[in-house]
Amino acid sequence: MGFLLFRTGGYQKEDNKISQLDNEGEEDAASDVTEGHDEEDQMYEGEYQGIPHPDEQKAAQRASRGAASAASELQELSEQYEDIMEDCGHGKFQWTLFMVLGLALMADGVECFVVAFVLPSAEKDLCLSNAEKGMLGLVVFLSMMVGAFLWGGLADKLGRRKCLIVALAINCVFAFLSSFAQGYGFFLFFRLLSGIGIGGTVPIVYTYFSEFLQKDKRGEHLSWLCMFWMMGGIYASFTAWGIIPRYGWGFSMGTEFQFHSWRVFVLVAALPAIASLVGLTFMPESPRFLLENAKHDEAWMILKQVHDTNWRAKGQPEKVFTVTHIKAPKTAEDEFIEIQAATGTPVQRWAVRSLTLCKLVRHNNVGLQYATLFMAIIWFCMAFSYYGLSVWFPDMIKHLQYEEYDSKVKVFHKERVENFHFNFSLENQVHKEGEYIRDKFINIELISVKFEDSLFEDCRFEDIRSTDTTFENCTIRSTVFYNTDLWEERFIDCKMENTTFELNKRGCHLDALEENDVLIYLVSFLGSLAVLPGNIISALFMDKIGRVRIIGGSMLISAGCTFLLFLSFTQSAIIALQCLFYGVSVAAWNGIEVVTVELYPSSKRATAFGVLNALCKLAAVLGSSIFASFVGITKAIPILLSFAALVGGGLVALRLPDTREKVLL
């Protein structure tokens, strides 16, 4: 009897022979179905009643037996691969790859901070409205969400190294272009594409590195790798602090092209990605991925390279790589048996194959389905709280600063000033019902100044730089505004009589550095630095305590940290609790990423990691948006939301399987 073999990819045996069906079994099956009927009756009744042909039943049974055999063979490959990695040892090769991939992870950490750091300057340079600022902050996580989903899936099909190189190249190119973009539309578009590129680093980096690690090194060294994300935050904070306030670091080409210091920072922020991209050109593809795609010779050569590199560095160049054959099993996904066209209708064959496949997937992955659901809940809860509080902490500090600043406002009521030359700056003042006759405001700054119901007559404003300054319901007569940035929007319900504006500054401009700006960098720097102790502790105890306990315990302790905000709500208390929260929560992040790597088979590892990381970015968008909306309104709701999410995620984490002793499938 003839058969048509349809291959869908995956493992392939060197011997591709298909065993013949058991003749005796065929006869028994045929006699059971056709008893009491002739051959024509059998075909007619089968077609009419939808009864599968005996050969189709045999195909389904054979597929079921193949699934069990494939699972056994996959386990054998995993154990053999683990033995090979133990023989290769852990040494120079892994540490070199650790540095290269660490720089890629560092680039991801930098990307999360770039827009937040440049926004105070970019909003003036690009004339951004509040809505445009919000969209610019939102597009960072949305683009990284798309990138994680896209590159994670591609890494399982095209290769870890190849996809990571392309993703980093996209990030570098469009980060470079964004620094020169003069308009909001181009800047937003370039940052969107830059984020899509960098979004693939997290799922690919952890998948790639884990496939070069042996079981007893995996948890610890994946946790050490997480430190580079923290280093990305420190690098971004430190360079932003050193570059952005230096307004002289830039150049201009006429009035149409301006390159200020914040654009220099955007270029410097891309250096980790560039360094990682260069390093990756010297790194090989994951041998485990190559085995998944039946490239045995290439995989063997890379494993030999790892072995020889490590043992030469240890002073034992004579140690020989003894592996001569690597088992490459065929999985249940590799083949479907297609019965020849004369033995049933296409609809019958399709129904049998589909039903069999669904049963196999449900049977083989029922444990993985629940574990994936648990992981999705944990990723979402952790990201919702972490990124929500990451936005809420600095916003609350700014709000407290604003309240303190506003409480010190000076109010001048019904003052009358004539023939006076204002040669000093005005800051944080409110002038009500004042009269200013023949006064001059020359070469000064107006910072947070409001004039209400006031009269300006025969006055002159020249070389004025202003921030948050308005004129409301004022009468302005015979007054000249020369080379100022006081636009029409600054005059609300004002009456103009014989007033002229000459050489007014068009567009937007950068303000002088405010004292409060420094706190943005300082808070981010301290928060990133606070991660270090938690990272070290989690790395040292990841294999001793176990991933599940570290995740659950860290999330529950982090929940307790948020409740401490009810006890004190000063600026210093918020900064201290932010550092404590980051230091504890990083252990949970490390455990989550290690478990995600160990939970899934090699053929689906990057895809699963990408999907979960995309869910993480979605939670980040929701958390940051929801938490920011309560700034200045109430502190109870953000605290309770984060507490509930962390407790819920921590309790779910305790239901995860322990993957410490599991070899990578």
Side-chain angles (χ1 to χ4, degrees):
M1 182 178 293
F3 294 89
L4 175 64
L5 178 63
F6 177 70
R7 301 190 179 278
T8 62
Y11 297 118
Q12 297 182 4
K13 287 183 177 178
E14 296 179 0
D15 185 2
N16 291 325
K17 294 181 180 179
I18 301 177
S19 60
Q20 298 295 326
L21 295 174
D22 186 359
N23 294 330
E24 182 178 352
E26 286 186 38
E27 294 173 359
D28 293 340
S31 63
D32 291 339
V33 178
T34 61
E35 184 177 357
H37 302 277
D38 57 19
E39 185 175 354
E40 295 179 358
D41 291 338
Q42 172 192 332
M43 289 298 296
Y44 176 81
E45 186 173 357
E47 292 179 5
Y48 180 78
Q49 297 182 0
I51 299 174
H53 190 275
D55 292 332
E56 296 172 355
Q57 292 179 329
K58 280 293 181 182
Q61 294 170 3
R62 185 181 180 190
S64 298
R65 291 193 302 268
S69 174
S72 175
E73 291 177 341
L74 181 60
Q75 184 67 28
E76 290 180 15
L77 170 64
S78 302
E79 292 174 356
Q80 184 187 17
Y81 191 82
E82 177 66 26
D83 293 339
I84 294 173
M85 293 312 303
E86 289 179 357
D87 291 340
C88 291
H90 189 93
K92 180 181 178 180
F93 181 89
Q94 280 84 358
W95 285 113
T96 304
L97 184 63
F98 175 82
M99 293 300 299
V100 172
L101 297 182
L103 288 170
L105 200 59
M106 183 177 171
D108 181 88
V110 171
E111 185 75 16
C112 294
F113 290 93
V114 168
V115 170
F117 286 154
V118 305
L119 203 53
S121 298
E123 68 172 309
K124 302 294 176 60
D125 203 10
L126 301 176
C127 304
L128 303 182
S129 64
N130 288 333
E132 289 172 335
K133 287 190 294 182
M135 178 57 68
L136 194 55
L138 186 65
V139 77
V140 174
F141 290 111
L142 290 178
S143 60
M144 293 176 75
M145 178 181 72
V146 174
F149 185 83
L150 173 67
W151 295 112
L154 289 176
D156 279 333
K157 298 297 181 183
L158 304 179
R160 287 76 160 107
R161 175 181 174 271
K162 181 186 297 184
C163 287
L164 187 55
I165 287 177
V166 175
L168 287 173
I170 291 174
N171 172 254
C172 294
V173 169
F174 289 103
F176 175 81
L177 293 176
S178 70
S179 68
F180 291 92
Q182 297 297 301
Y184 168 73
F186 279 112
F187 185 76
L188 181 70
F189 177 70
F190 291 145
R191 293 313 302 183
L192 172 68
L193 295 180
S194 173
I196 291 176
I198 204 65
T201 56
V202 172
I204 299 178
V205 161
Y206 283 101
T207 300
Y208 190 12
F209 191 52
S210 68
E211 293 172 350
F212 284 97
L213 296 174
Q214 57 202 67
K215 181 174 61 178
D216 59 342
K217 301 286 186 181
R218 199 165 55 227
E220 178 184 350
H221 287 270
L222 287 175
S223 298
W224 289 127
L225 189 65
C226 295
M227 292 183 65
F228 280 92
W229 201 94
M230 169 207 71
M231 293 171 62
I234 294 176
Y235 174 81
S237 305
F238 186 76
T239 53
W241 197 348
I243 295 175
I244 294 179
R246 307 296 189 267
Y247 292 104
W249 290 17
F251 63 91
S252 62
M253 298 174 63
T255 58
E256 299 299 325
F257 186 87
Q258 303 289 330
F259 196 88
H260 294 294
S261 58
W262 68 268
R263 298 178 182 275
V264 178
F265 166 69
V266 173
L267 288 178
V268 174
L271 292 180
I274 296 173
S276 179
L277 184 61
V278 173
L280 278 170
T281 60
F282 299 97
M283 293 291 106
E285 180 57 84
S286 164
R288 187 60 192 268
F289 168 79
L290 295 174
L291 289 174
E292 290 287 330
N293 291 270
K295 298 180 180 179
H296 313 106
D297 293 341
E298 293 181 40
W300 185 88
M301 291 295 294
I302 293 172
L303 290 171
K304 184 178 185 300
Q305 176 188 350
V306 175
H307 176 277
D308 294 346
T309 300
N310 287 341
W311 289 109
R312 277 199 303 266
K314 295 177 181 179
Q316 301 182 44
E318 72 281 357
K319 197 171 180 66
V320 179
F321 186 60
T322 58
V323 176
T324 57
H325 175 73
I326 304 176
K327 186 175 181 61
K330 189 185 298 179
T331 67
E333 296 177 351
D334 287 331
E335 294 184 355
F336 287 107
I337 303 301
E338 183 83 39
I339 305 301
Q340 63 184 20
T343 60
T345 66
V347 174
Q348 290 175 343
R349 295 195 300 273
W350 175 84
V352 170
R353 291 196 308 273
S354 300
L355 182 61
T356 302
L357 179 61
C358 291
K359 289 180 178 179
L360 288 173
V361 171
R362 185 173 65 251
H363 175 73
N364 294 335
N365 297 321
V366 63
L368 204 57
Q369 290 171 352
Y370 285 114
T372 301
L373 176 61
F374 292 159
M375 289 302 300
I377 294 173
I378 295 166
W379 272 92
F380 186 90
C381 290
M382 190 65 204
F384 180 81
S385 300
Y386 182 87
Y387 289 103
L389 290 175
S390 296
V391 171
W392 188 71
F393 281 136
D395 282 356
M396 281 306 304
I397 292 174
K398 290 181 184 178
H399 177 71
L400 293 176
Q401 288 178 335
Y402 176 79
E403 287 185 336
E404 182 181 357
Y405 184 77
D406 193 52
S407 66
K408 298 178 181 179
V409 65
K410 297 178 182 179
V411 180
F412 300 87
H413 191 69
K414 292 185 177 180
E415 63 177 351
R416 181 180 176 87
V417 182
E418 294 185 43
N419 300 313
F420 187 80
H421 184 185
F422 288 87
N423 57 2
F424 51 87
S425 296
L426 306 179
E427 181 177 0
N428 198 22
Q429 299 177 3
V430 176
H431 299 263
K432 297 182 178 181
E433 300 180 19
E435 294 182 4
Y436 304 91
I437 312 298
R438 295 181 298 277
D439 296 326
K440 295 181 179 180
F441 301 80
I442 307 295
N443 194 27
I444 64 174
E445 289 187 36
L446 302 178
I447 303 173
S448 298
V449 178
K450 180 184 291 186
F451 295 95
E452 297 180 359
D453 303 310
S454 298
L455 171 66
F456 294 86
E457 188 169 352
D458 293 325
C459 294
R460 182 177 181 84
F461 291 81
E462 184 175 339
D463 297 329
I464 302 297
R465 298 181 304 278
S466 65
T467 301
D468 193 25
T469 296
T470 58
F471 297 77
E472 296 184 10
N473 198 30
C474 295
T475 300
I476 304 175
R477 296 175 185 159
S478 304
T479 297
V480 176
F481 293 88
Y482 181 84
N483 192 32
T484 73
D485 59 4
L486 299 174
W487 321 315
E488 295 180 0
E489 292 81 1
R490 304 291 185 92
F491 300 92
I492 304 171
D493 298 326
C494 292
K495 184 179 180 181
M496 301 284 189
E497 298 177 3
N498 195 28
T499 299
T500 59
F501 293 85
E502 300 178 8
L503 296 178
N504 256 25
K505 298 175 183 178
R506 298 195 175 190
C508 305
H509 66 283
L510 290 174
D511 297 321
L513 178 64
E514 300 178 15
E515 293 181 0
N516 291 347
D517 289 342
V518 176
L519 194 62
I520 299 174
Y521 314 126
L522 179 60
V523 170
S524 299
F525 179 82
L526 293 176
S528 299
L529 195 61
V531 171
L532 181 60
N535 222 320
I536 294 175
I537 293 173
S538 63
L540 295 177
F541 290 94
M542 185 66 69
D543 292 316
K544 297 180 176 64
I545 298 177
R547 293 86 158 108
V548 174
R549 291 180 181 177
I550 284 182
I551 298 172
S554 298
M555 293 185 74
L556 294 176
I557 296 174
S558 299
C561 294
T562 61
F563 245 75
L564 295 177
L565 288 169
F566 283 117
L567 302 179
S568 177
F569 209 67
T570 62
Q571 293 184 37
S572 57
I574 292 177
I575 294 175
L577 289 174
Q578 178 191 21
C579 294
L580 179 61
F581 175 77
Y582 286 166
V584 174
S585 61
V586 69
W589 278 121
N590 290 356
I592 289 170
E593 286 154 349
V594 172
V595 170
T596 304
V597 164
E598 296 174 335
L599 200 57
Y600 296 94
S602 298
S603 60
K604 299 176 178 64
R605 184 171 296 121
T607 302
F609 208 124
V611 171
L612 292 172
N613 194 250
L615 181 66
C616 164
K617 296 303 186 289
L618 176 62
V621 171
L622 295 176
S624 57
S625 302
I626 293 172
F627 282 46
S629 65
F630 290 103
V631 173
I633 299 176
T634 177
K635 66 179 181 180
I637 293 180
I639 293 174
L640 292 175
L641 283 175
S642 60
F643 178 82
L646 289 169
V647 169
L651 294 177
V652 171
L654 298 177
R655 301 291 303 275
L656 288 172
D658 190 354
T659 56
R660 270 184 294 179
E661 301 300 324
K662 181 181 179 182
V663 297
L664 289 182
L665 294 177

